Amino acid sequence: MNVAFFLIPKKNIVFLKEGATMRQALERMEYHSYSAVPLINDEGKYVGTITEGDLLWKLKNTPGLTFQNTEDIRLSEVKQHVQNIPVTINAQMEDLISRAVVQNFVPVVDDQEVFIGIVRRREMIEYCSKLLVQRNKFNDN
């Protein structure tokens, strides 16, 4: 089983450009109730994941920064404390599982490192759960 089976395409997810502002990130994350979103550059390449924690640390550690002036801070200026490592579209399920232990989602890139979507932890857990149920049914017979 490979990544393509679980892929949620870029057009169906929330992501931000690294040139977006902190305020845009906060508002989009609040609206969708997300705690993290992928970041891409102007070439469409995955450059990281911005989290609520990253935004809070930036707010805390920047003297004079308030919610009102977060529109002056670009996401490229916000330090990312967690590195969500992407996989390629040709990766196998084993590659996803090891990353899902510490990531809510796994970014997926093509051979040119262009961001093409994500695989959510939820779908991976559901897949593994179905395999366990099938295995248990087989062992019971």
Side-chain angles (χ1 to χ4, degrees):
M1 185 73 54
N2 72 11
V3 171
F5 181 77
F6 299 98
L7 182 70
I8 300 171
K10 180 170 108 175
K11 69 178 184 171
N12 295 339
I13 64 165
V14 173
F15 63 90
L16 293 163
K17 296 259 183 130
E18 65 182 341
T21 66
M22 264 184 83
R23 185 172 187 141
Q24 290 170 320
L26 289 164
E27 289 174 349
R28 186 163 296 171
M29 291 167 81
E30 177 186 27
Y31 179 81
H32 293 283
S33 299
Y34 290 158
S35 59
V37 294
L39 287 179
I40 62 171
N41 64 17
D42 289 336
E43 291 80 42
K45 295 186 178 191
Y46 173 77
V47 294
T49 296
I50 196 77
T51 68
E52 289 175 326
D54 298 334
L55 299 171
L56 287 170
W57 283 110
K58 180 67 173 174
L59 191 60
K60 177 192 175 286
N61 294 323
T62 305
L65 184 60
T66 65
F67 178 74
Q68 287 71 31
N69 58 11
T70 55
E71 61 196 26
D72 299 328
I73 305 293
R74 300 283 169 209
L75 294 179
S76 57
E77 302 171 49
V78 177
K79 181 180 178 193
Q80 297 170 35
H81 293 84
V82 176
Q83 297 300 317
N84 279 7
I85 301 167
V87 296
T88 66
I89 190 65
N90 300 317
Q92 296 299 310
M93 189 63 179
E94 295 78 19
D95 302 318
L96 290 173
I97 291 172
S98 63
R99 286 179 172 82
V101 170
V102 294
Q103 300 175 195
N104 291 331
F105 63 86
V106 179
V108 181
V109 296
D110 67 12
D111 293 337
Q112 280 75 48
E113 297 181 12
V114 172
F115 178 72
I116 58 174
I118 64 169
V119 175
R120 292 185 298 203
R121 182 188 294 167
R122 176 178 42 182
E123 280 78 17
M124 288 182 265
I125 291 172
E126 288 171 354
Y127 171 77
C128 291
S129 175
K130 287 177 186 175
L131 287 179
L132 286 172
V133 168
Q134 289 173 353
R135 189 184 88 192
N136 289 339
K137 284 181 182 178
F138 178 78
N139 288 339
D140 288 344
N141 292 331

